[in-house]
Amino acid sequence: MNHLATKPGYFRLPVASAVFSLLLFFITFSASAQNLNVQGKVTTEQGTPLANAQVINTTINTAAVTDQNGTFTIKCGPTAHLVIYTDGYEMAVLDVNANSNIPDITLKKITELTEVVIERNLQKRSAIGYLKDIEGTNIYAGKKSEVITVDRLVANKAVGTMRQIYAQVVGLTFNEGAEGGLQLNIGGRGLNPNRTSNFNTRQNGYDISADVLGYPESYYTPPAEGVEKIQVVRGAASLQYGTQFGGLVNFIMHQPSKKPIEVVQRNTLGSYGLFTNFSSVSGTEKKFSFYTFFNYKQGNGFRPNANFNSRNFFINLNYAFTEKTVLRFDYTLFDYLAKQPGGLTDLMFYQNMLQSNRTRNWFGVNWNLFNLKLEHKFTENANFNVQFFGLNASRETVGYLSNRVSGADPGEGRDLIKGKFVNWGAEAKFLQQYTINNQKSAFLIGAKYYQAQNTGYQGPGSAGSDANFTPATVDFPSYANQSDYKYPNLNVALFAENIFRLSPKFTITPGLRYENINTKSQGYWRHINTDLAGNVILDERLDENVTKNRNFFLAGIGLSYKPTQKAELYANISQNYRSVTFSDIRTATPGLVIDPNITDEKGFTSDIGLRGKIDERFSYDTNVYALLYNDKIGEYQRVNPNGGGAVVRYRSNIGTAITYGWEALGDWNISNTFFKQNNNFLWTLFVNNAITDSRYLKTDAPNIKGNKVEFVPTINLKTGTTVGWGNFKASAQVMYVSQQFTDSNNSTANETENTFGVFGQIPSYYVADVSATYTWRCVKLEAGVNNLTNNYYFTRRATGYPGPGILPSEPRTFYTTLQIKL
């Protein structure tokens, strides 16, 4: 194990000075210019003033609303790019100069409001999907960010097909399964996709993972049908949201309808017995508004011994005391039970990936989330919110988890793993915008308190075949994996960021986060060694009472330069930190052994990029990045140090690693280029590509220095097109991912390996999807084919749950959805 950091908050970084020098390259900016107020008027084609029309200056992110006379006053710099819109009218865009008079702006009434007309207007309003410099009490200036507007996607939303939902988020990798989209598994930049554990995962701004520090895995994923937007902010999000290397994934649920009542009913049928129902009700009455849904899913899976069913209930209640003060309450219930067919060896996969030799593996989840949030606007420039959140949840798994995957299940006692997660906390933020030398800047300060009392149990389970998560009453003396722990966690964090607007074109945003993390591990584990014949040669109980207290600072800085109204150069560098998780500390499986001295990970992430748009025809975001790890946790092969003589995957702090690459997204609106006058026709094309490399720079582990980091495909390409006419839209997409390794040894396996299935690479693969929608009045019909070419491939080699070995991805599947909206 290679310990490169000896003091809390201090990280050695051989390339830090070089990266920071590149960042400073972008600090060239023009002299400060004054912000000016400009006035204008919005009318209909008949010259009637339009009241309550929205006017947005996208150059410096200011907004205004027209009065009863159709006039507005908005702040802008020497130049501004204005977007003007209101319901029932075509959107207008206008480039203005603060020194010239703004002519009257005429909005054309829409006579035929079809799906395509709505879509084309939305594209004018938000041609490129990234976050504004300031949104509410959040600062995103200079950060790599993406926003997915889910309602605009033509995709399989019933099961939330990840490669479709996240198609235009660069660099993401996926672990694909067949559980109906019940779990989100995204990674990227060398981060393991397993249950999105390297991201800070939130819903409406509050944490939803099992334990933010000790077990940041997302067993609950909001259903795509209930989500309005998904915000993705890369590693620089560590300063505001927490210490994860991946950054932030925040699910913004649908907002209440402005109508007194609105009902949406969606039913989906699909391959392998898939049935889902999504029912939502929302409305607004004076100061009170609400949104609620119930989502039911069931399916059989494409392999034997596979099925699932789930329930998901969500309710959001809002009460506006005044226009400036709103109280919001969210409650989420999610539970599901899944039978899991286990993994395969390489030979089994290539002979018949549809087979299964595990008949007794089960997994169950129960999730209860609570959040109470108070938002108050002191002035137009001063926002405050405070939220109190809590989780009461559990996950349980029972099954035969032998790492000799090809071996038959002997029908004896199964491996039982149970986790209970009870945590609560509070988070407060205050953002003040202020003016210096006529330039508007902003200061954000916040604090978070988080407390958890979690438990983890591993031991012998029942010898039956049902979903029995009760510990076995009979002791198995040769059962090696036994432990019972409590994990009390306490976390206090303070953070601050400030946007210094040095000119209308240039901002610099430094940030700082202080973390106090206190984690405890109280319990025992049973150390049992056997010889090759299975005879017990060592049986001892080891009691532990370990406390780890850490205090450290994370620092970062972001830069943004907008040379024109439609282009932005951005750059950032931030420190990151990831504490050791429960599974890193004690959870054991036959094919995996954990270093008892494993410790936290530390490092940096940085981005330098250019994003923008060319009118409403083309939008783009391209960047280079680097992610450097100290004490990176990973796995490699070695003889089991606990005895027994078997080769296992050994999880430890391997050393220092770097991942770097080029990411690019281009979105071409062909209809706005060649068919601008035909509002009823839509045609767009996107290309999303990431070219990535990685290396282990320093390590004490044998034969690893110079190897590639695991979960890093060199090429990660997604491309697709959407075509629409009137109320019909269709999309087609292809994804190609090159080979990637699953351990730091860069192990490879051939098609004849028939013992483990745990060691080896993930071969390159491609997969194609097509989807279509048609709307008629209040009815919408959706249908599609996922994995159109019926490719057989896999994206994961599991080491334990849900059964060691290769986990195949779904073959060709069909779905159709009927939606009624009243």
Side-chain angles (χ1 to χ4, degrees):
M1 189 163 52
N2 188 20
H3 297 283
L4 299 177
T6 58
K7 298 179 181 179
Y10 173 76
F11 310 107
R12 292 183 184 176
L13 179 57
V15 298
S17 58
V19 173
F20 194 71
S21 297
L22 287 174
L23 295 178
L24 292 178
F25 173 79
F26 292 99
I27 309 183
T28 301
F29 57 91
S30 59
S32 296
Q34 293 185 347
N35 279 352
L36 302 172
N37 289 329
V38 297
Q39 294 182 334
K41 186 175 182 178
V42 182
T43 66
T44 66
E45 290 179 288
Q46 291 75 34
T48 305
L50 267 177
N52 298 317
Q54 302 289 318
V55 183
I56 297 176
N57 178 3
T58 61
T59 305
I60 59 173
N61 294 319
T62 57
V65 179
T66 58
D67 60 20
Q68 294 301 316
N69 298 317
T71 61
F72 66 90
T73 301
I74 191 168
K75 183 170 290 186
C76 73
T79 59
H81 182 70
L82 301 184
V83 176
I84 306 97
Y85 68 96
T86 191
D87 291 342
Y89 290 83
E90 290 188 13
M91 193 173 296
V93 294
L94 183 67
D95 292 325
V96 302
N97 188 311
N99 297 321
S100 61
N101 295 325
I102 300 179
D104 287 354
I105 301 164
T106 301
L107 297 188
K108 183 179 179 181
K109 192 171 182 62
I110 299 172
T111 57
E112 187 179 359
L113 193 62
T114 67
E115 288 281 301
V116 167
V117 171
I118 294 172
E119 175 72 8
R120 290 187 66 163
N121 271 277
L122 287 171
Q123 288 174 344
K124 291 179 182 178
R125 181 179 173 184
S126 180
I128 185 167
Y130 57 85
L131 291 163
K132 300 176 183 177
D133 290 353
I134 299 172
E135 295 202 8
T137 55
N138 305 299
I139 289 178
Y140 301 112
K143 295 179 173 64
K144 172 70 174 175
S145 67
E146 290 118 329
V147 179
I148 305 164
T149 304
V150 178
D151 286 344
R152 294 173 59 184
L153 300 176
V154 183
N156 188 349
K157 300 173 190 173
V159 296
T161 303
M162 290 179 289
R163 60 180 179 267
Q164 290 185 293
I165 300 294
Y166 298 89
Q168 296 195 55
V169 180
V170 294
L172 291 187
T173 54
F174 313 112
N175 277 352
E176 298 179 359
E179 299 88 10
L182 298 178
Q183 290 186 10
L184 179 67
N185 294 279
I186 61 173
R189 299 183 172 184
L191 303 172
N192 191 337
N194 189 38
R195 286 188 289 276
T196 320
S197 59
N198 287 286
F199 285 84
N200 185 294
T201 312
R202 298 191 173 205
Q203 173 180 277
N204 284 346
Y206 52 88
D207 297 304
I208 62 174
S209 58
D211 184 294
V212 178
L213 299 170
Y215 201 60
E217 301 195 5
S218 298
Y219 287 101
Y220 158 66
T221 299
E225 293 166 304
V227 176
E228 179 179 327
K229 294 181 179 180
I230 305 172
Q231 300 172 338
V232 181
V233 185
R234 298 308 171 97
S238 61
L239 300 180
Q240 281 184 64
Y241 296 101
T243 59
Q244 294 293 349
F245 278 83
L248 168 75
V249 176
N250 185 29
F251 298 92
I252 307 297
M253 311 304 288
H254 279 300
Q255 300 302 302
S257 171
K258 299 298 182 183
K259 304 175 184 177
I261 192 79
E262 181 178 87
V263 178
V264 176
Q265 179 76 214
R266 292 172 57 89
N267 289 284
T268 300
L269 296 175
S271 303
Y272 305 107
L274 175 70
F275 168 72
T276 77
N277 169 265
F278 179 88
S279 303
S280 72
V281 183
S282 68
T284 300
E285 182 63 31
K286 296 181 179 179
K287 295 184 176 182
F288 175 74
S289 62
F290 73 98
Y291 174 73
T292 183
F293 68 73
F294 179 79
N295 185 211
Y296 175 78
K297 296 181 181 181
Q298 69 176 37
N300 296 325
F302 65 94
R303 298 169 61 199
N305 307 312
N307 60 66
F308 62 87
N309 65 79
S310 74
R311 300 177 304 153
N312 188 184
F313 171 75
F314 171 80
I315 186 167
N316 162 247
L317 306 174
N318 310 279
Y319 187 80
F321 295 96
T322 68
E323 291 183 357
K324 295 183 177 181
T325 305
V326 181
L327 185 66
R328 307 183 188 277
F329 173 75
D330 286 4
Y331 168 68
T332 304
L333 166 68
F334 174 68
D335 64 25
Y336 80 89
L337 179 67
K339 188 174 185 181
Q340 299 175 318
L344 304 174
T345 66
D346 289 79
L347 180 63
M348 294 168 68
F349 173 82
Y350 289 105
Q351 284 183 337
N352 177 18
M353 83 161 194
L354 304 180
Q355 65 180 298
S356 164
N357 65 352
R358 297 291 180 261
T359 62
R360 304 186 302 145
N361 290 11
W362 294 88
F363 182 73
V365 163
N366 181 265
W367 230 248
N368 290 273
L369 279 163
F370 309 84
N371 189 72
L372 182 66
K373 184 175 185 179
L374 177 67
E375 298 176 342
H376 180 69
K377 181 177 287 189
F378 292 101
T379 68
E380 288 299 317
N381 295 320
N383 293 338
F384 170 79
N385 68 53
V386 59
Q387 59 184 0
F388 302 90
F389 54 89
L391 171 69
N392 188 336
S394 65
R395 53 88 74 189
E396 301 171 308
T397 178
V398 64
Y400 180 63
L401 302 181
S402 170
N403 64 328
R404 293 187 174 272
V405 175
S406 58
D409 182 347
E412 299 174 350
R414 293 174 290 177
D415 193 303
L416 175 66
I417 304 175
K418 297 166 65 75
K420 179 73 174 177
F421 313 104
V422 179
N423 55 62
W424 68 275
E427 187 172 42
K429 291 183 177 181
F430 174 74
L431 186 141
Q432 175 70 59
Q433 298 188 57
Y434 60 93
T435 301
I436 297 179
N437 294 328
N438 293 315
Q439 303 300 326
K440 202 165 193 177
S441 299
F443 173 68
L444 166 70
I445 189 170
K448 181 178 180 181
Y449 177 88
Y450 180 82
Q451 182 175 316
Q453 183 67 261
N454 304 301
T455 62
Y457 171 84
Q458 184 174 11
S462 75
S465 58
D466 60 344
N468 184 347
F469 300 111
T470 304
T473 56
V474 178
D475 186 29
F476 298 97
S478 63
Y479 191 90
N481 304 320
Q482 299 186 34
S483 63
D484 194 354
Y485 278 86
K486 293 181 180 179
Y487 301 105
N489 288 345
L490 181 64
N491 176 216
V492 177
L494 304 172
F495 52 91
E497 289 195 64
N498 198 107
I499 297 179
F500 293 102
R501 193 174 299 280
L502 304 181
S503 81
K505 297 183 177 182
F506 181 76
T507 63
I508 180 169
T509 308
L512 189 67
R513 185 181 184 92
Y514 165 76
E515 290 274 355
N516 172 257
I517 300 175
N518 185 287
T519 57
K520 297 180 180 179
S521 176
Q522 302 169 341
Y524 74 88
W525 65 288
R526 195 167 174 184
H527 185 195
I528 301 175
N529 284 347
T530 61
D531 58 22
L532 294 178
N535 301 308
V536 176
I537 57 177
L538 175 66
D539 186 350
E540 61 178 342
R541 169 173 163 156
L542 300 176
D543 292 284
E544 293 184 325
N545 190 343
V546 179
T547 299
K548 291 186 177 182
N549 191 57
R550 295 86 112 192
N551 293 276
F552 57 89
F553 287 92
L554 299 177
I557 189 169
L559 309 173
S560 173
Y561 178 65
K562 299 176 181 177
T564 70
Q565 297 170 351
K566 300 174 183 178
E568 178 187 7
L569 286 163
Y570 62 92
N572 62 75
I573 184 168
S574 294
Q575 290 175 295
N576 296 91
Y577 179 93
R578 187 172 187 266
S579 60
V580 170
T581 68
F582 303 156
S583 56
D584 288 331
I585 296 172
R586 187 49 58 206
T587 304
T589 64
L592 178 68
V593 175
I594 298 169
D595 182 349
N597 298 315
I598 198 168
T599 189
D600 303 329
E601 300 172 301
K602 313 167 186 69
F604 289 84
T605 58
S606 63
D607 288 275
I608 302 174
L610 174 67
R611 58 193 172 199
K613 60 182 178 180
I614 301 173
D615 298 325
E616 279 68 54
R617 294 172 294 172
F618 185 76
S619 59
Y620 58 90
D621 189 350
T622 180
N623 67 289
V624 294
Y625 79 90
L627 187 157
L628 188 132
Y629 265 107
N630 288 327
D631 291 330
K632 175 172 171 54
I633 293 175
E635 298 171 5
Y636 60 94
Q637 294 183 48
R638 62 167 293 178
V639 175
N640 191 341
N642 296 327
V647 175
V648 295
R649 289 178 72 151
Y650 189 68
R651 182 181 296 159
S652 179
N653 296 99
I654 297 177
T656 302
I658 187 170
T659 303
Y660 54 93
W662 171 59
E663 300 170 333
L665 169 67
D667 193 331
W668 182 22
N669 192 314
I670 302 172
S671 53
N672 280 348
T673 304
F674 300 111
F675 310 98
K676 195 169 185 179
Q677 300 305 315
N678 192 337
N679 280 329
N680 268 312
F681 179 62
L682 172 72
W683 185 10
T684 63
L685 173 71
F686 79 88
V687 176
N688 170 3
N689 190 33
I691 298 176
T692 310
D693 198 7
S694 60
R695 287 291 180 270
Y696 278 99
L697 303 177
K698 295 181 181 180
T699 178
D700 292 335
N703 303 317
I704 290 178
K705 183 178 179 180
N707 284 1
K708 292 197 68 169
V709 176
E710 53 270 43
F711 311 114
V712 181
T714 301
I715 299 175
N716 185 350
L717 173 66
K718 306 174 188 71
T719 184
T721 186
T722 298
V723 178
W725 180 270
N727 286 324
F728 174 80
K729 289 192 294 184
S731 70
Q733 175 188 315
V734 177
M735 179 174 74
Y736 170 78
V737 180
S738 62
Q739 174 183 284
Q740 56 188 293
F741 296 107
T742 62
D743 61 31
S744 57
N745 289 107
N746 292 180
S747 305
T748 58
N750 58 48
E751 298 180 8
T752 61
E753 194 282 322
N754 195 34
T755 303
F756 300 109
V758 172
F759 310 112
Q761 75 282 17
I762 296 173
S764 62
Y765 65 91
Y766 76 90
V767 59
D769 305 291
V770 294
S771 297
T773 72
Y774 180 76
T775 303
W776 181 73
R777 296 183 179 177
C778 63
V779 178
K780 177 181 283 190
L781 181 66
E782 303 175 6
V785 184
N786 292 120
N787 194 355
L788 178 67
T789 57
N790 200 32
N791 283 359
Y792 284 10
Y793 68 100
F794 64 92
T795 62
R796 182 184 175 193
R797 291 180 183 266
T799 56
Y801 153 84
I806 292 172
L807 301 180
S809 296
E810 281 189 322
R812 182 190 295 124
T813 58
F814 302 84
Y815 77 92
T816 183
T817 300
L818 177 65
Q819 172 184 300
I820 300 175
K821 185 175 182 179
L822 301 172

